[in-house]
Protein backbone atom coordinates (compact mmCIF):
# COMPACT_ATOMS: atom_id res chain seq x y z
CA UNK A 1 0.00 0.00 0.00
CA UNK A 2 1.40 3.44 -1.02
CA UNK A 3 1.83 5.84 1.80
CA UNK A 4 2.17 9.61 1.33
CA UNK A 5 5.01 10.84 3.41
CA UNK A 6 5.69 14.58 3.83
CA UNK A 7 9.39 14.77 4.54
CA UNK A 8 9.36 18.61 4.69
CA UNK A 9 10.19 20.03 8.07
CA UNK A 10 7.10 21.52 9.76
CA UNK A 11 8.49 25.10 9.41
CA UNK A 12 8.68 24.82 5.63
CA UNK A 13 5.17 23.50 5.09
CA UNK A 14 2.82 25.92 3.22
CA UNK A 15 -0.87 25.35 3.43
CA UNK A 16 -2.69 24.23 0.34
CA UNK A 17 -4.87 27.36 0.06
CA UNK A 18 -1.90 29.63 0.43
CA UNK A 19 -0.07 27.65 -2.18
CA UNK A 20 -2.90 28.06 -4.66
CA UNK A 21 -3.08 31.79 -3.95
CA UNK A 22 0.64 32.14 -4.52
CA UNK A 23 0.44 30.21 -7.79
CA UNK A 24 -2.38 32.55 -8.97
CA UNK A 25 -0.40 35.60 -7.92
CA UNK A 26 2.65 34.42 -9.84
CA UNK A 27 0.53 33.72 -12.91
CA UNK A 28 -1.00 37.20 -12.73
CA UNK A 29 2.48 38.64 -12.35
CA UNK A 30 3.64 36.85 -15.50
CA UNK A 31 0.57 37.99 -17.47
CA UNK A 32 1.01 41.57 -16.32
CA UNK A 33 4.69 41.52 -17.17
CA UNK A 34 3.92 40.33 -20.71
CA UNK A 35 1.16 42.93 -21.04
CA UNK A 36 3.50 45.61 -19.77
CA UNK A 37 6.15 44.67 -22.32
CA UNK A 38 3.61 44.69 -25.15
CA UNK A 39 2.21 48.02 -23.96
CA UNK A 40 5.66 49.60 -23.68
CA UNK A 41 6.73 48.44 -27.12
CA UNK A 42 3.42 49.52 -28.60
CA UNK A 43 3.43 52.95 -27.08
CA UNK A 44 7.08 53.42 -28.01
CA UNK A 45 6.38 52.50 -31.62
CA UNK A 46 3.30 54.77 -31.73
CA UNK A 47 5.34 57.64 -30.31
CA UNK A 48 8.05 57.08 -32.88
CA UNK A 49 5.54 57.04 -35.76
CA UNK A 50 3.88 60.18 -34.42
CA UNK A 51 7.25 61.93 -34.22
CA UNK A 52 7.95 61.05 -37.86
CA UNK A 53 4.47 62.25 -38.90
CA UNK A 54 4.96 65.50 -37.00
CA UNK A 55 8.36 66.03 -38.61
CA UNK A 56 6.89 65.50 -42.10
CA UNK A 57 3.96 67.81 -41.37
CA UNK A 58 6.29 70.51 -40.05
CA UNK A 59 8.41 70.22 -43.19
CA UNK A 60 5.32 70.69 -45.38
CA UNK A 61 4.28 73.59 -43.16
CA UNK A 62 7.67 75.22 -43.57
CA UNK A 63 7.46 74.89 -47.37
CA UNK A 64 3.95 76.35 -47.39
CA UNK A 65 5.05 79.27 -45.21
CA UNK A 66 7.84 80.01 -47.67
CA UNK A 67 5.38 79.93 -50.58
CA UNK A 68 2.90 82.17 -48.73
CA UNK A 69 5.66 84.65 -47.85
CA UNK A 70 6.58 84.76 -51.54
CA UNK A 71 3.01 85.99 -52.19
CA UNK A 72 3.34 88.78 -49.63
CA UNK A 73 2.67 91.49 -52.19
CA UNK A 74 -0.64 89.89 -53.21
CA UNK A 75 -1.51 89.40 -49.56
CA UNK A 76 -0.91 93.07 -48.78
CA UNK A 77 -3.06 94.11 -51.72
CA UNK A 78 -5.83 91.75 -50.70
CA UNK A 79 -5.75 93.01 -47.09
CA UNK A 80 -5.93 96.63 -48.23
CA UNK A 81 -8.72 95.76 -50.67
CA UNK A 82 -10.79 94.07 -47.98
CA UNK A 83 -10.08 96.88 -45.51
CA UNK A 84 -11.24 99.50 -48.01
CA UNK A 85 -14.34 97.51 -48.95
CA UNK A 86 -15.39 97.07 -45.31
CA UNK A 87 -15.01 100.81 -44.67
CA UNK A 88 -16.71 101.78 -47.91
CA UNK A 89 -19.72 99.62 -46.96
CA UNK A 90 -20.06 101.61 -43.74
CA UNK A 91 -20.32 104.94 -45.59
CA UNK A 92 -21.46 104.14 -49.09
CA UNK A 93 -25.02 105.19 -48.72
CA UNK A 94 -26.45 108.34 -50.08
CA UNK A 95 -27.76 110.87 -47.61
CA UNK A 96 -31.36 111.85 -47.91
CA UNK A 97 -30.52 115.36 -49.12
CA UNK A 98 -30.41 114.46 -52.79
CA UNK A 99 -33.64 112.48 -52.54
CA UNK A 100 -35.21 115.38 -50.66
CA UNK A 101 -34.28 117.75 -53.47
CA UNK A 102 -35.76 115.37 -55.99
CA UNK A 103 -38.96 114.97 -53.94
CA UNK A 104 -39.25 118.73 -53.50
CA UNK A 105 -38.91 119.13 -57.24
CA UNK A 106 -41.96 116.91 -57.64
CA UNK A 107 -44.01 119.59 -55.85
CA UNK A 108 -42.82 122.09 -58.43
CA UNK A 109 -44.02 119.94 -61.34
CA UNK A 110 -45.82 121.82 -64.06
CA UNK A 111 -45.12 125.13 -62.38
CA UNK A 112 -43.94 127.63 -64.92
CA UNK A 113 -40.47 129.07 -65.00
CA UNK A 114 -41.96 132.45 -64.20
CA UNK A 115 -42.30 131.31 -60.60
CA UNK A 116 -38.77 131.14 -59.28
CA UNK A 117 -37.57 129.55 -56.08
CA UNK A 118 -36.92 132.39 -53.70
CA UNK A 119 -35.06 130.18 -51.26
CA UNK A 120 -34.80 126.45 -50.67
CA UNK A 121 -32.88 124.96 -47.78
CA UNK A 122 -32.57 121.16 -47.90
CA UNK A 123 -31.22 119.06 -45.07
CA UNK A 124 -31.52 115.41 -44.12
CA UNK A 125 -34.91 115.60 -42.47
CA UNK A 126 -36.35 119.01 -43.29
CA UNK A 127 -36.79 121.22 -46.31
CA UNK A 128 -37.70 124.90 -46.11
CA UNK A 129 -38.99 126.29 -49.37
CA UNK A 130 -40.02 129.84 -50.27
CA UNK A 131 -41.31 130.31 -53.77
CA UNK A 132 -42.61 133.33 -55.66
CA UNK A 133 -45.74 132.34 -57.54
CA UNK A 134 -46.59 134.66 -60.39
CA UNK A 135 -49.89 133.20 -61.60
CA UNK A 136 -53.04 131.75 -60.05
CA UNK A 137 -52.56 128.61 -62.14
CA UNK A 138 -49.09 128.06 -60.64
CA UNK A 139 -50.45 128.64 -57.14
CA UNK A 140 -53.28 126.13 -57.70
CA UNK A 141 -50.85 123.60 -59.12
CA UNK A 142 -48.44 124.01 -56.19
CA UNK A 143 -51.15 123.59 -53.58
CA UNK A 144 -52.63 120.60 -55.42
CA UNK A 145 -49.20 118.93 -55.59
CA UNK A 146 -48.64 119.60 -51.88
CA UNK A 147 -52.02 118.18 -50.96
CA UNK A 148 -51.65 115.01 -53.03
CA UNK A 149 -47.99 114.32 -52.24
CA UNK A 150 -47.19 111.24 -50.13
CA UNK A 151 -43.46 111.82 -50.17
CA UNK A 152 -43.33 113.86 -46.98
CA UNK A 153 -44.30 113.19 -43.41
CA UNK A 154 -45.73 116.68 -43.15
CA UNK A 155 -46.10 119.77 -45.33
CA UNK A 156 -46.74 122.96 -43.41
CA UNK A 157 -47.60 126.25 -45.01
CA UNK A 158 -45.39 128.54 -42.97
CA UNK A 159 -46.14 131.76 -44.80
CA UNK A 160 -48.41 133.08 -47.49
CA UNK A 161 -48.18 136.61 -48.73
CA UNK A 162 -48.80 138.78 -51.70
CA UNK A 163 -47.11 141.81 -53.04
CA UNK A 164 -47.59 143.49 -56.37
CA UNK A 165 -43.94 142.99 -57.45
CA UNK A 166 -43.40 139.31 -56.70
CA UNK A 167 -47.06 138.21 -56.60
CA UNK A 168 -47.63 135.34 -54.15
CA UNK A 169 -44.84 134.43 -51.80
CA UNK A 170 -45.45 130.95 -50.43
CA UNK A 171 -43.40 129.44 -47.65
CA UNK A 172 -43.48 125.66 -47.01
CA UNK A 173 -41.82 123.51 -44.39
CA UNK A 174 -41.52 119.88 -45.45
CA UNK A 175 -40.41 117.13 -43.11
CA UNK A 176 -39.38 113.57 -43.79
CA UNK B 1 21.60 38.95 7.68
CA UNK B 2 21.33 35.22 6.91
CA UNK B 3 20.47 34.58 10.53
CA UNK B 4 17.76 37.22 10.29
CA UNK B 5 16.43 35.79 7.04
CA UNK B 6 16.52 32.28 8.41
CA UNK B 7 14.31 33.48 11.24
CA UNK B 8 11.52 34.52 8.81
CA UNK B 9 8.88 31.86 8.30
CA UNK B 10 8.97 30.15 4.91
CA UNK B 11 5.41 31.08 3.95
CA UNK B 12 6.28 34.78 4.40
CA UNK B 13 9.20 34.41 2.06
CA UNK B 14 7.02 32.70 -0.56
CA UNK B 15 4.39 35.43 -0.29
CA UNK B 16 7.03 38.12 -0.75
CA UNK B 17 8.56 36.31 -3.71
CA UNK B 18 5.15 36.10 -5.40
CA UNK B 19 3.85 39.60 -4.60
CA UNK B 20 6.92 41.79 -5.12
CA UNK B 21 7.25 41.18 -8.89
CA UNK B 22 3.52 41.82 -9.27
CA UNK B 23 3.78 45.12 -7.37
CA UNK B 24 6.82 46.16 -9.41
CA UNK B 25 5.04 45.45 -12.69
CA UNK B 26 1.95 47.35 -11.58
CA UNK B 27 4.01 50.37 -10.47
CA UNK B 28 5.97 50.34 -13.76
CA UNK B 29 2.70 50.04 -15.65
CA UNK B 30 1.33 53.11 -13.88
CA UNK B 31 4.48 55.22 -14.29
CA UNK B 32 5.27 54.30 -17.87
CA UNK B 33 1.61 54.34 -18.80
CA UNK B 34 1.01 57.83 -17.43
CA UNK B 35 4.22 59.24 -18.89
CA UNK B 36 3.83 57.48 -22.23
CA UNK B 37 0.19 58.42 -22.70
CA UNK B 38 0.85 62.08 -21.83
CA UNK B 39 3.75 62.24 -24.30
CA UNK B 40 1.70 60.59 -27.02
CA UNK B 41 -1.26 62.94 -26.33
CA UNK B 42 1.07 65.92 -26.54
CA UNK B 43 2.54 64.87 -29.83
CA UNK B 44 -0.88 64.02 -31.30
CA UNK B 45 -2.02 67.50 -30.28
CA UNK B 46 0.96 69.01 -32.07
CA UNK B 47 0.19 66.95 -35.16
CA UNK B 48 -3.43 68.12 -35.13
CA UNK B 49 -2.33 71.73 -34.70
CA UNK B 50 0.20 71.45 -37.52
CA UNK B 51 -2.43 69.79 -39.73
CA UNK B 52 -4.85 72.68 -39.16
CA UNK B 53 -2.14 75.22 -39.99
CA UNK B 54 -1.31 73.23 -43.12
CA UNK B 55 -4.96 73.42 -44.23
CA UNK B 56 -5.07 77.18 -43.53
CA UNK B 57 -1.87 77.83 -45.46
CA UNK B 58 -2.95 75.64 -48.38
CA UNK B 59 -6.24 77.51 -48.80
CA UNK B 60 -4.46 80.83 -48.22
CA UNK B 61 -1.98 80.02 -50.96
CA UNK B 62 -4.81 79.21 -53.37
CA UNK B 63 -6.50 82.55 -52.60
CA UNK B 64 -3.28 84.53 -52.99
CA UNK B 65 -2.31 82.84 -56.23
CA UNK B 66 -5.74 83.61 -57.67
CA UNK B 67 -5.33 87.33 -56.89
CA UNK B 68 -5.22 88.61 -60.40
CA UNK B 69 -4.70 91.76 -62.38
CA UNK B 70 -8.45 92.41 -62.17
CA UNK B 71 -8.13 92.57 -58.42
CA UNK B 72 -5.20 94.95 -58.75
CA UNK B 73 -7.41 97.22 -60.88
CA UNK B 74 -10.17 96.93 -58.29
CA UNK B 75 -7.68 97.96 -55.64
CA UNK B 76 -7.03 101.14 -57.59
CA UNK B 77 -10.77 101.85 -57.73
CA UNK B 78 -11.41 101.36 -54.04
CA UNK B 79 -8.38 103.35 -52.93
CA UNK B 80 -9.61 106.21 -55.09
CA UNK B 81 -13.11 105.86 -53.63
CA UNK B 82 -11.77 105.87 -50.07
CA UNK B 83 -8.24 107.31 -50.13
CA UNK B 84 -5.65 106.74 -47.46
CA UNK B 85 -4.87 110.44 -47.09
CA UNK B 86 -6.85 113.68 -47.08
CA UNK B 87 -8.39 113.83 -50.58
CA UNK B 88 -9.15 117.55 -50.72
CA UNK B 89 -7.21 118.19 -53.92
CA UNK B 90 -8.84 115.31 -55.77
CA UNK B 91 -12.24 116.41 -54.46
CA UNK B 92 -11.83 119.99 -55.69
CA UNK B 93 -10.64 118.68 -59.05
CA UNK B 94 -13.71 116.46 -59.29
CA UNK B 95 -16.10 119.28 -58.36
CA UNK B 96 -14.58 121.53 -61.00
CA UNK B 97 -14.75 118.76 -63.53
CA UNK B 98 -18.48 118.10 -63.06
CA UNK B 99 -19.20 121.81 -62.81
CA UNK B 100 -17.66 122.21 -66.26
CA UNK B 101 -19.67 119.24 -67.51
CA UNK B 102 -22.98 120.90 -66.60
CA UNK B 103 -21.90 124.46 -67.33
CA UNK B 104 -22.31 125.72 -63.79
CA UNK B 105 -19.78 127.92 -62.09
CA UNK B 106 -18.13 127.00 -58.86
CA UNK B 107 -16.84 129.48 -56.32
CA UNK B 108 -16.05 130.10 -52.65
CA UNK B 109 -14.76 126.59 -52.06
CA UNK B 110 -13.85 126.09 -48.40
CA UNK B 111 -12.76 122.85 -46.76
CA UNK B 112 -12.13 121.77 -43.20
CA UNK B 113 -10.89 118.46 -41.87
CA UNK B 114 -12.77 116.76 -39.10
CA UNK B 115 -12.28 113.74 -36.94
CA UNK B 116 -15.03 111.24 -37.47
CA UNK B 117 -18.75 110.72 -37.21
CA UNK B 118 -20.80 107.64 -36.44
CA UNK B 119 -18.94 105.78 -39.17
CA UNK B 120 -15.67 106.42 -37.20
CA UNK B 121 -13.89 107.38 -40.43
CA UNK B 122 -12.17 110.76 -40.84
CA UNK B 123 -13.80 113.12 -43.32
CA UNK B 124 -13.44 116.60 -44.77
CA UNK B 125 -16.27 119.11 -44.83
CA UNK B 126 -16.51 121.23 -47.95
CA UNK B 127 -18.69 124.26 -48.57
CA UNK B 128 -18.96 125.91 -51.94
CA UNK B 129 -21.26 128.01 -54.06
CA UNK B 130 -22.52 126.97 -57.46
CA UNK B 131 -24.35 129.10 -59.98
CA UNK B 132 -26.16 128.20 -63.21
CA UNK B 133 -29.50 126.97 -64.45
CA UNK B 134 -31.76 125.02 -62.10
CA UNK B 135 -31.51 121.86 -64.19
CA UNK B 136 -27.74 122.23 -64.49
CA UNK B 137 -27.39 122.57 -60.73
CA UNK B 138 -29.68 119.59 -60.11
CA UNK B 139 -27.56 117.44 -62.40
CA UNK B 140 -24.41 118.76 -60.76
CA UNK B 141 -25.74 117.84 -57.31
CA UNK B 142 -26.76 114.38 -58.49
CA UNK B 143 -23.24 113.76 -59.80
CA UNK B 144 -21.59 114.86 -56.54
CA UNK B 145 -22.71 111.65 -54.83
CA UNK B 146 -21.39 109.62 -57.77
CA UNK B 147 -17.78 110.77 -57.63
CA UNK B 148 -14.71 109.15 -56.17
CA UNK B 149 -13.70 109.88 -53.43
CA UNK B 150 -17.04 109.04 -51.79
CA UNK B 151 -18.87 112.28 -51.06
CA UNK B 152 -22.21 112.92 -49.43
CA UNK B 153 -24.29 116.09 -49.63
CA UNK B 154 -25.10 117.39 -46.16
CA UNK B 155 -27.07 120.53 -46.97
CA UNK B 156 -28.17 122.62 -49.95
CA UNK B 157 -29.45 126.19 -49.85
CA UNK B 158 -30.78 127.34 -53.17
CA UNK B 159 -32.22 130.58 -54.47
CA UNK B 160 -33.23 131.90 -57.87
CA UNK B 161 -33.08 135.36 -59.32
CA UNK B 162 -33.72 136.51 -62.88
CA UNK B 163 -33.51 132.99 -64.26
CA UNK B 164 -30.22 132.17 -62.54
CA UNK B 165 -30.10 129.67 -59.72
CA UNK B 166 -27.42 129.78 -57.08
CA UNK B 167 -26.85 127.23 -54.37
CA UNK B 168 -24.67 126.89 -51.29
CA UNK B 169 -23.70 123.28 -50.89
CA UNK B 170 -22.14 121.53 -47.91
CA UNK B 171 -20.59 118.09 -48.47
CA UNK B 172 -18.73 115.45 -46.52
CA UNK B 173 -15.93 113.41 -48.13
CA UNK B 174 -14.51 110.37 -46.40
CA UNK B 175 -11.01 108.94 -46.26
CA UNK B 176 -9.26 106.40 -44.00
CA UNK B 177 -5.64 105.60 -43.22
CA UNK B 178 -4.41 102.29 -44.59
CA UNK B 179 -3.91 99.36 -42.21
CA UNK B 180 -0.42 99.38 -40.75
CA UNK B 181 -0.01 95.66 -40.11
CA UNK B 182 -0.80 92.54 -42.07
CA UNK B 183 -2.02 89.38 -40.35
CA UNK B 184 0.36 86.64 -39.34
CA UNK B 185 1.40 84.07 -41.93
CA UNK B 186 -0.79 81.36 -40.37
CA UNK B 187 -3.89 83.55 -40.18
CA UNK B 188 -6.79 82.78 -42.51
CA UNK B 189 -7.29 84.94 -45.58
CA UNK B 190 -10.51 84.43 -47.52
CA UNK B 191 -11.39 85.33 -51.05
CA UNK B 192 -13.75 88.23 -51.77
CA UNK B 193 -17.30 87.55 -50.60
CA UNK B 194 -20.41 88.21 -52.68
CA UNK B 195 -21.17 91.44 -50.81
CA UNK B 196 -17.59 92.65 -51.29
CA UNK B 197 -17.84 91.97 -55.02
CA UNK B 198 -21.10 93.92 -55.05
CA UNK B 199 -19.38 96.84 -53.34
CA UNK B 200 -16.60 96.73 -55.94
CA UNK B 201 -19.25 96.82 -58.67
CA UNK B 202 -20.89 99.91 -57.16
CA UNK B 203 -17.50 101.58 -56.64
CA UNK B 204 -16.54 100.92 -60.26
CA UNK B 205 -19.55 103.00 -61.31
CA UNK B 206 -18.26 106.10 -59.51
CA UNK B 207 -16.87 108.93 -61.61
CA UNK B 208 -13.12 108.53 -61.39
CA UNK B 209 -10.83 111.55 -61.23
CA UNK B 210 -8.87 112.22 -64.35
CA UNK B 211 -5.19 111.98 -63.72
CA UNK B 212 -3.21 113.45 -66.54
CA UNK B 213 0.20 112.13 -67.33
CA UNK B 214 2.22 114.83 -69.01
CA UNK B 215 5.12 113.85 -71.20
CA UNK B 216 8.40 115.61 -70.69
CA UNK B 217 8.40 118.62 -72.97
CA UNK B 218 11.32 118.86 -75.32
CA UNK B 219 12.58 122.43 -75.16
CA UNK B 220 14.04 124.17 -78.18
CA UNK B 221 16.89 126.56 -78.26
CA UNK B 222 15.95 130.21 -78.82
CA UNK B 223 18.27 131.27 -81.59
CA UNK B 224 17.50 134.93 -81.08
CA UNK B 225 17.41 135.39 -77.31
CA UNK B 226 17.95 139.12 -77.34
CA UNK B 227 15.41 139.88 -80.05
CA UNK B 228 17.99 141.24 -82.47
Amino acid sequence: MAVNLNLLPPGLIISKSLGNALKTTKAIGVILTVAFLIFSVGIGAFYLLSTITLKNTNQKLSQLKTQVLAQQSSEQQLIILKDRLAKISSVKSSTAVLKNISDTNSLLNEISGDSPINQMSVETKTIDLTINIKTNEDLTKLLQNAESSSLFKSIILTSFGYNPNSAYVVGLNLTK
Amino acid sequence: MNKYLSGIPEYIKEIVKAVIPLVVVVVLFLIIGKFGISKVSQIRGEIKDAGQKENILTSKLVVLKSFSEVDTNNLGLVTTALPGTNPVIILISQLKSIAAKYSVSLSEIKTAGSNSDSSSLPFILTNFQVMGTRSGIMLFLADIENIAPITQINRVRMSENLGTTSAEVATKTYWAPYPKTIPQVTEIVTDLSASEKKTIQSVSELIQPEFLNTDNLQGSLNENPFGQ
Side-chain angles (χ1 to χ4, degrees), chain A residues 6 8-23 26, chain B residues 9-17:
Chain A
N6 192 349
L8 274 174
L12 294 178
I13 293 172
I14 298 170
S15 67
K16 198 173 177 184
S17 59
L18 181 61
N20 288 337
L22 290 176
K23 270 188 200 167
K26 283 179 187 168
Chain B
E10 192 59 32
Y11 73 93
I12 299 283
K13 286 183 196 172
E14 289 299 316
I15 289 171
V16 168
K17 277 186 205 169

Side-chain angles (χ1 to χ4, degrees), chain B:
Chain B
M1 179 72 169
N2 282 339
K3 202 174 172 184
Y4 176 75
L5 283 175
S6 63
I8 298 173
E10 192 59 32
Y11 73 93
I12 299 283
K13 286 183 196 172
E14 289 299 316
I15 289 171
V16 168
K17 277 186 205 169
V19 166
I20 282 185
L22 181 65
V23 166
V24 166
V25 165
V26 166
V27 166
L28 280 175
F29 225 130
L30 288 172
I31 293 171
I32 302 293
K34 192 174 171 189
F35 177 74
I37 287 171
S38 75
K39 275 289 176 192
V40 164
S41 298
Q42 183 190 336
I43 205 164
R44 295 308 298 180
E46 285 174 22
I47 289 171
K48 188 178 171 190
D49 191 42
Q52 282 172 348
K53 284 182 184 170
E54 188 185 343
N55 289 340
I56 288 171
L57 287 179
T58 306
S59 64
K60 188 170 178 175
L61 197 58
V62 167
V63 167
L64 293 178
K65 281 184 174 173
S66 68
F67 192 78
S68 63
E69 198 179 305
V70 171
D71 293 312
T72 308
N73 290 339
N74 290 337
L75 182 62
L77 290 173
V78 300
T79 50
T80 310
L82 190 68
T85 54
N86 190 319
V88 63
I89 292 177
I90 301 174
L91 171 66
I92 291 172
S93 163
Q94 286 280 61
L95 291 175
K96 288 183 175 176
S97 174
I98 54 175
K101 186 175 160 189
Y102 296 114
S103 304
V104 297
S105 70
L106 211 56
S107 62
E108 310 269 337
I109 302 174
K110 293 172 193 160
T111 65
S114 191
N115 271 340
S116 59
D117 58 7
S118 58
S119 67
S120 76
L121 296 181
F123 56 84
I124 51 172
L125 295 167
T126 309
N127 291 312
F128 54 88
Q129 294 202 358
V130 58
M131 201 177 288
T133 61
R134 193 199 292 185
S135 58
I137 289 179
M138 292 301 179
L139 290 168
F140 170 82
L141 292 175
D143 262 9
I144 284 180
E145 294 205 340
N146 287 332
I147 60 170
I150 294 171
T151 303
Q152 294 170 345
I153 300 176
N154 273 0
R155 189 187 67 241
V156 173
R157 286 197 181 121
M158 202 182 283
S159 61
E160 286 180 342
N161 189 20
L162 300 172
T164 303
T165 306
S166 67
E168 279 176 37
V169 185
T171 63
K172 191 189 269 189
T173 304
Y174 290 94
W175 61 282
Y178 293 121
K180 288 190 171 46
T181 56
I182 60 170
Q184 289 187 358
V185 174
T186 49
E187 217 167 295
I188 296 173
V189 163
T190 56
D191 207 349
L192 296 175
S193 64
S195 68
E196 284 171 336
K197 287 179 183 170
K198 202 172 160 193
T199 306
I200 289 176
Q201 178 58 36
S202 69
V203 165
S204 68
E205 290 163 6
L206 295 176
I207 303 168
Q208 299 296 316
E210 292 169 11
F211 295 107
L212 299 172
N213 289 322
T214 54
D215 296 324
N216 287 335
L217 293 173
Q218 297 296 326
S220 59
L221 191 63
N222 183 358
E223 294 182 5
N224 188 16
F226 300 105
Q228 291 165 356

